[in-house]
Amino acid sequence: MIRSYALQKHLIHARQEIPIVIIMIGIAGASFALAIHQIWPLIWVAGFLTVFAFDTWFSHRLASWERSRLIAPWTSVHLGVVSCVTMCTFMIVPIAMLTTGDIALAVAAIAMLAASATRATNTLSVSRIAGIMTLTPFVTLPIASLLLPVASQEVEVSFSHLVAVLATICGLGYIVMAWRYRDMVEQKLERARREALVQGRAAARDAMISKLMFQHTSMRAALFDTKGRFLAVNAAWLSAINKSEQDLLGRTMADAMPSAKATWHEAIEAALQGRSTQKSFDHRVRADGVEVYLDWEVHPWYTPEGQIGGAIGYAQDVTEVFMVRADEKAKQARLTAMMARAQEALDEKRKLLEDLCDAEVLSLKSASASQDAETLDDHGATPAADDPSGPSAGQLLAGFERILRDIDERDHLLATAVQQLSEARHKAEIASQAKSQLMANVSHELRTPLHAILGYTEMLIEDAEHDGRGEAARDARKVQNSAHQLLKLINEILDLAKIEAGKMDLTYEQINLQELAEDVFQSLGPLARNRGNQLTLTAPEDPILVLTDGFRLRQCLMNLISNAIKFTENGDVEVCIARKSPPSAQPYVDISVRDTGIGMTTEALSRLFQPFQQADNSVTRTFGGTGLGLTLTREMVQLLGGTVSVESQAGVGSTFTLRVPARGLSASDVVVNMIGDETTPLVLVIDGDDVSGALAQRAVQGLGFNCALACTATSASAYLDFRTVDLIILNLDIPDGDGLTSLHKLRERDSLIDTPIVVVADDDDQRKSIAAGAQEHLMKPVTGAVLGSAIARLIRPKADHVENDVINLPGLNHWRGLKMRERA
Amino acid sequence: MQRILLAEDHDDNREMLMRRLTRAGFDVRGACDGQDAVTQALSWKPDLVLMDVSMPIMSGLEATRKIRESLGASIRVIALTAHAMNESREACLEAGCDAFATKPVDWPFLMDEMSRQFQAKAS
């Protein structure tokens, strides 16, 4: 509750003053009455007390009304009156003094006057009106004393002295009390004022926030009083109806907005009765004829006392939302209609299909009525024989559904079959593994006795030859040949098993095809001579080098050439090697083996590559052989990425062609010069420049090492995928890419982890090369002697490698360069 | 004279190879299983062991490991096996054999391989 400062001060003072004032006035009045032996001072006192009581009551009332600023002047009047009465009462002692002329009473009168002055000052600080009114007794006192006709009477000195002392004490006491409480009152007032200020500010802020919220919401909002008149209305509302605040405030809705719908008035009435109303998408035609849709609601609002203070209404234009929704609804409706039409079309098609089915069924029935009757009965679509109008729609539908069910059943069967197949495949895989294992074991068991047979036979041959027993030697050789044949067969079977099991490992290396062919010729020369055949090799002058498994390729070539020899008598066997570089495909090499032998018929050709099939079963008897050779050749050539093909004419001869890819490396890419054997260290020279490359190669070979010369980093990299080398000489000026990057890449290879690399560069930036992993940096121009000494210093003899490796890694042997082949 | 220990459980094969090796001028002793091979290798200290892989009591690979543990690189081991699958060769080299030859033995190849091993040992 906010009280006025003056009233509050007055109330505080009054509360402090009540006891002392009552006591003082009472004592003064009583003693004075006794002194003059008259009753009127007592009546005076009673009157004062009555005024005092009224003041207390009325002050509180005033305080409770204080909220209304209108009564502030009345507060001052009241305070003035009350203070005046109080002062007059205080005047009782001065009057007594004047009337008795007693000295002691005069002292008391002074004290009382001082008390009055204190009171007046206090009151003056509260209110000017009250202060002035309080001072009036000081003005009226002389007048009153002059006017009062009092008779001088003799009183007891002792008693009048007593009264004077008491009055003096009371007066002084009041002064002391008043001064004492003065500060306290100020403090209390100050605190109250601050609180009031804070409360006021908070209230003002709340009011402001409420007002802001009310004004700035995009919703239209209006507040009505209990009579349904506009109390407040926000900007949104005003702009919506295009009116000003003055047009609305204080007027009812019906009065200010006659175009508003009646439902609004009803809603406001209802809100004043305590009921809320809410409407969504309320259609309304604005004054300008535009159709709008509104969401609106009206609620009662309540005073702090809980009374209905009026109504509050909100409204929002939702025309756009309504339009979007309506659009969606329309779309939905169109979609539904379309679906319905589609359904109709489908139904039509279905009907057509059913009719067709029915027609089919009927035709089937007419074709073989007795046989089909059962089936059709199953499908429920058989028309009764005596029903000329054909099957009913229901029957057709039932038949159709049965057909569908049959299809489902078939799908199910199919799924089962697929699962069974998958299981079968799994079993087959296990069986295949078991077979491979069996093959390996069988091969082992066959080879072990053959080992003894061949060993002893060779010893027998040696012995027989040593002793000059020619016949025995020849016999033993026959045993040896047979054993070798058997071994060959076992090996072929084993190879096939390996290929089938995917365990055929290939070792790629650079192969000179001319050398390979000549090697095979050398092995088969005696056989060819025995059959009276002429072996010829047609190949280009420069060596054809391919990256392939030489051992396997040799095996294939051996098979083809030995077959050619076998089926040719007193004829020609010609091997032709040709490099082919079609523009649109990878380059390849064709190795064709042409003979002038018996040839094959077309029918025989078709069975040619099947295992254990020879062109004619009779050939087995005539020419021997297992019939596995060609199968194995085809499989192996495929593994090597090539193909084998055949052309043949019975009685004229056959031509078998092996086509192998000229994979990555051609003669111009990496040239390998083996001047020593396999155990000789191999140095890889990577140099794009012909002159310096040749110089490096001479330096390497001058030291007695094998040399591989690569012109590009790419070809060197391809080469290193298949070969280990003992030292690398890298010219940083390479044609494809950056030399240092290539050096980095070489160093990252596991196989080159401890292979020394010598860098040949244009500059002298040794640090860069060494950091990149080189062991030696040579600046151009490099002489053969400098290069040679670097190679000699860095390369480690192979034997050292072995020792070091074994010591460092017991149980492991990494004898580099050792190329062990399974030889059988 | 180079000393060769031949570990082979197949009696005929062992006899055959011992005779041929003796004829070729080697000092040859035979062992009939892996355990025997280890014992003889440690006591006799041959220059080279021809080690059959499949043997009773102790396999050739196990025997090779034991010999390598005791004698280090001072002894050369050539594995002999009738298994021709690639993984068996890898297994042999892994177990510490220096070389690998398949049975039936290609005699010239074996002789080459042995001379290489003696060379390696000498250097």
Side-chain angles (χ1 to χ4, degrees):
Chain A
M1 192 187 284
I2 302 163
R3 293 172 181 175
S4 83
Y5 178 69
L7 192 63
Q8 209 171 4
K9 195 167 179 178
H10 170 69
L11 277 170
I12 294 166
H13 275 300
R15 209 172 297 136
Q16 309 300 339
E17 288 166 355
I18 285 168
I20 191 131
V21 168
I22 290 172
I23 292 166
M24 191 179 67
I25 298 296
I27 291 169
S31 55
F32 190 42
L34 284 172
I36 60 174
H37 297 285
Q38 283 185 19
I39 200 72
W40 66 266
L42 287 178
I43 294 166
W44 188 309
V45 167
F48 162 77
L49 288 177
T50 308
V51 169
F52 205 89
F54 170 77
D55 168 51
T56 307
W57 172 79
F58 192 66
S59 290
H60 280 100
R61 275 317 294 239
L62 274 181
S64 71
W65 292 341
E66 184 70 354
R67 269 190 304 156
S68 167
R69 294 296 166 105
L70 292 170
I71 57 170
W74 291 109
T75 307
S76 293
V77 172
H78 161 74
L79 290 177
V81 171
V82 170
S83 299
C84 184
V85 171
T86 314
M87 286 309 105
C88 292
T89 313
F90 282 135
M91 287 309 109
I92 195 167
V93 176
I95 289 166
M97 176 212 68
L98 289 171
T99 49
T100 55
D102 194 302
I103 300 299
L105 280 178
V107 175
I110 288 162
M112 291 308 289
L113 273 173
S116 293
T118 304
R119 170 90 205 188
T121 317
N122 281 347
T123 310
L124 192 64
S125 71
V126 173
S127 160
R128 241 173 246 139
I129 299 169
I132 290 163
M133 289 179 79
T134 310
L135 287 172
T136 43
F138 295 96
V139 182
T140 54
L141 182 62
I143 301 160
S145 61
L146 288 173
L147 293 177
L148 271 172
V150 274
S152 184
Q153 288 182 16
E154 284 296 320
V155 288
E156 292 287 328
V157 172
S158 59
F159 181 72
S160 70
H161 281 184
L162 186 67
V163 170
V165 167
L166 278 173
T168 305
I169 290 168
C170 284
L172 291 176
Y174 176 76
I175 290 165
V176 169
M177 292 280 285
W179 277 105
R180 200 176 146 203
Y181 285 115
R182 200 188 165 96
D183 288 346
M184 201 186 76
V185 168
E186 289 299 331
Q187 280 168 10
K188 278 191 178 176
L189 275 171
E190 184 59 32
R191 197 161 55 238
R193 198 163 51 193
R194 234 181 276 133
E195 274 170 14
L197 204 62
V198 170
Q199 276 177 12
R201 272 184 194 160
R205 207 182 55 191
D206 285 351
M208 190 183 71
I209 289 170
S210 302
K211 188 166 184 183
L212 281 175
M213 284 171 73
F214 182 73
Q215 279 299 340
H216 291 277
T217 173
S218 65
M219 244 184 182
R220 301 168 198 176
L223 204 63
F224 304 91
D225 64 11
T226 45
K227 298 273 193 291
R229 291 174 302 211
F230 278 101
L231 264 183
V233 60
N234 76 347
W237 189 295
L238 291 173
S239 74
I241 59 166
N242 203 15
K243 285 193 173 169
S244 71
E245 209 170 16
Q246 283 73 33
D247 295 337
L248 300 181
L249 293 189
R251 299 169 69 184
T252 64
M253 198 157 177
D255 185 13
M257 294 169 62
S259 63
K261 281 176 98 179
T263 41
W264 261 99
H265 311 308
E266 288 164 15
I268 292 169
E269 285 303 316
L272 296 178
Q273 305 295 318
R275 295 193 305 276
S276 293
T277 311
Q278 201 169 356
K279 292 267 184 202
S280 285
F281 295 110
D282 191 19
H283 178 252
R284 180 174 170 261
V285 183
R286 251 179 14 207
D288 53 7
V290 178
E291 287 187 57
V292 292
Y293 291 88
L294 292 179
D295 271 3
W296 59 264
E297 55 196 87
V298 180
H299 307 286
W301 63 269
Y302 296 90
T303 61
E305 288 78 26
Q307 307 292 315
I308 290 176
I312 184 160
Y314 303 101
Q316 195 164 26
D317 189 335
V318 290
T319 311
E320 271 179 38
V321 180
F322 182 82
M323 289 306 178
V324 170
R325 283 203 191 168
D327 197 30
E328 274 173 10
K329 266 188 191 165
K331 275 184 193 161
Q332 188 77 34
R334 275 204 301 279
L335 204 63
T336 315
M338 272 165 69
M339 279 174 74
R341 276 204 298 281
Q343 188 62 46
E344 267 172 36
L346 276 173
D347 286 348
E348 228 168 79
K349 287 274 188 300
R350 190 157 168 247
K351 182 81 165 55
L352 200 64
L353 198 62
E354 282 169 9
D355 290 350
L356 279 173
C357 280
D358 184 50
E360 189 69 19
V361 162
L362 283 175
S363 69
L364 281 172
K365 189 179 191 298
S366 60
S368 53
S370 60
Q371 194 187 334
D372 286 355
E374 205 178 324
T375 322
L376 291 169
D377 273 341
D378 282 353
H379 291 150
T382 318
D386 55 352
D387 183 1
S389 64
S392 71
Q395 277 176 315
L396 275 173
L397 201 62
F400 193 65
E401 271 164 8
R402 287 208 181 191
I403 289 167
L404 286 176
R405 212 178 304 142
D406 280 2
I407 291 171
D408 281 352
E409 244 167 61
R410 236 169 289 155
D411 282 353
H412 177 69
L413 284 175
L414 199 64
T416 319
V418 166
Q419 197 191 341
Q420 280 169 350
L421 270 176
S422 144
E423 277 168 16
R425 203 187 74 179
H426 182 63
K427 277 181 191 160
E429 274 166 5
I430 292 173
S432 171
Q433 279 174 10
K435 195 180 83 179
S436 296
Q437 189 58 48
L438 182 72
M439 290 299 295
N441 290 343
V442 167
S443 149
H444 180 263
E445 295 312 312
L446 289 170
R447 288 159 78 99
T448 302
L450 264 182
H451 179 52
I453 293 170
L454 277 168
Y456 279 112
T457 310
E458 277 168 26
M459 278 166 65
L460 283 175
I461 294 168
E462 280 169 22
D463 288 349
E465 280 176 349
H466 186 261
D467 301 343
R469 289 180 287 120
E471 200 174 341
R474 273 194 302 281
D475 291 348
R477 225 173 262 290
K478 279 172 187 162
V479 175
Q480 190 189 30
N481 281 343
S482 298
H484 272 301
Q485 266 182 27
L486 190 55
L487 181 60
K488 186 166 175 279
L489 173 63
I490 293 165
N491 284 339
E492 282 177 351
I493 292 172
L494 188 65
D495 282 342
L496 268 183
K498 274 188 200 170
I499 291 172
E500 215 169 83
K503 285 182 176 172
M504 175 67 85
D505 288 344
L506 299 173
T507 308
Y508 282 90
E509 54 199 334
Q510 187 145 259
I511 300 297
N512 182 325
L513 291 181
Q514 284 99 326
E515 282 177 11
L516 184 76
E518 273 161 14
D519 184 39
V520 175
F521 275 16
Q522 208 161 8
S523 304
L524 295 174
L527 182 63
R529 276 192 297 279
N530 285 347
R531 310 257 318 144
N533 291 329
Q534 182 70 37
L535 284 177
T536 47
L537 173 65
T538 310
E541 285 277 311
D542 60 314
I544 298 180
L545 301 172
V546 294
L547 193 65
T548 190
D549 186 319
F551 180 76
R552 293 300 173 191
L553 190 60
R554 186 180 188 277
Q555 212 178 340
C556 295
L557 207 52
M558 196 92 174
N559 271 331
L560 293 184
I561 297 173
S562 65
N563 271 352
I565 293 168
K566 204 167 11 174
F567 295 111
T568 308
E569 201 163 14
N570 300 321
D572 291 320
V573 175
E574 189 191 359
V575 175
C576 181
I577 305 175
R579 193 188 285 130
K580 303 279 172 70
S581 303
S584 59
Q586 294 287 318
Y588 56 86
V589 178
D590 273 350
I591 308 167
S592 50
V593 180
R594 191 178 59 78
D595 66 53
T596 54
I598 57 170
M600 285 169 280
T601 62
T602 321
E603 191 267 337
L605 274 176
S606 65
R607 289 185 282 121
L608 195 63
F609 291 101
Q610 300 297 317
F612 300 106
Q613 294 277 352
Q614 279 176 328
D616 181 345
N617 282 338
S618 63
V619 296
T620 312
R621 292 190 292 278
T622 318
F623 301 100
T626 58
L628 267 183
L630 278 179
T631 310
L632 194 56
T633 299
R634 191 190 57 174
E635 296 288 329
M636 281 195 303
V637 168
Q638 278 175 359
L639 271 187
L640 293 171
T643 55
V644 59
S645 58
V646 61
E647 287 169 25
S648 187
Q649 206 178 336
V652 177
S654 311
T655 305
F656 285 82
T657 305
L658 282 181
R659 177 168 292 185
V660 291
R663 203 190 293 250
L665 298 171
S666 67
S668 58
D669 280 326
V670 179
V671 181
V672 183
N673 266 294
M674 303 283 280
I675 62 162
D677 56 11
E678 272 190 341
T679 58
T680 311
L682 174 64
V683 176
L684 173 64
V685 177
I686 307 170
D687 202 327
D689 181 37
D690 288 347
V691 179
S692 69
L695 180 109
Q697 189 175 359
R698 267 207 301 281
V700 170
Q701 289 178 337
L703 292 165
F705 298 143
N706 293 329
C707 179
L709 178 58
C711 299
T712 60
T714 317
S715 61
S717 172
Y719 183 70
L720 286 166
D721 285 340
F722 305 105
R723 277 303 295 256
T724 55
V725 298
D726 299 277
L727 187 137
I728 293 172
I729 298 170
L730 172 67
N731 184 345
L732 285 187
D733 187 18
I734 48 167
D736 57 336
D738 173 52
L740 274 177
T741 312
S742 301
L743 178 56
H744 269 297
K745 283 185 181 160
L746 288 174
R747 258 300 158 244
E748 279 167 9
R749 282 173 176 270
D750 287 343
S751 59
L752 299 179
I753 198 100
D754 53 7
T755 304
I757 299 177
V758 178
V759 159
V760 178
D762 291 314
D763 58 8
D764 196 21
D765 196 349
Q766 210 163 21
R767 216 162 29 84
K768 219 160 44 185
S769 314
I770 303 294
Q775 272 64 52
E776 185 77 45
H777 178 102
L778 301 175
M779 194 174 85
K780 287 181 193 171
V782 179
T783 62
V786 170
L787 201 53
S789 74
I791 298 166
R793 193 170 62 249
L794 290 169
I795 206 159
R796 290 189 294 167
K798 295 205 167 199
D800 279 4
H801 294 190
V802 176
E803 295 298 327
N804 290 346
D805 285 350
V806 171
I807 288 162
N808 293 339
L809 303 159
L812 281 175
N813 181 0
H814 293 285
W815 188 0
R816 267 178 287 172
L818 175 68
K819 285 277 170 187
M820 275 189 303
R821 313 286 297 144
E822 307 163 17
R823 299 213 180 160
Chain B
M1 199 186 280
Q2 305 279 21
R3 291 191 294 186
I4 297 174
L5 176 65
L6 174 67
E8 166 69 81
D9 63 314
H10 193 285
D11 293 341
D12 291 345
N13 280 346
R14 190 174 62 248
E15 190 202 329
M16 183 269 290
L17 272 180
M18 279 178 73
R19 275 171 60 185
R20 294 191 85 180
L21 289 167
T22 311
R23 273 192 197 183
F26 296 106
D27 182 3
V28 189
R29 286 194 192 178
C32 55
D33 60 61
Q35 185 64 60
D36 191 14
V38 175
T39 315
Q40 292 207 45
L42 297 187
S43 57
W44 189 45
K45 295 204 170 45
D47 298 296
L48 186 139
V49 182
L50 287 175
M51 183 73 80
D52 184 24
V53 173
S54 315
M55 284 191 292
I57 302 173
M58 185 189 284
S59 82
L61 300 183
E62 184 60 33
T64 304
R65 275 190 207 99
K66 286 209 183 307
I67 291 169
R68 275 268 174 266
E69 273 169 29
S70 309
L71 300 176
S74 68
I75 191 164
R76 315 303 294 182
V77 180
I78 298 177
L80 285 180
T81 176
H83 282 296
M85 299 303 261
N86 294 315
E87 57 259 38
S88 55
R89 195 181 75 168
E90 303 299 324
C92 290
L93 299 182
E94 178 69 25
C97 297
D98 298 294
F100 173 92
T102 51
K103 292 195 281 186
V105 136
D106 180 341
W107 191 252
F109 173 79
L110 183 63
M111 287 299 111
D112 283 356
E113 193 61 66
M114 281 167 57
S115 67
R116 263 201 292 274
Q117 296 298 331
F118 288 133
Q119 262 179 7
K121 184 176 158 67
S123 60

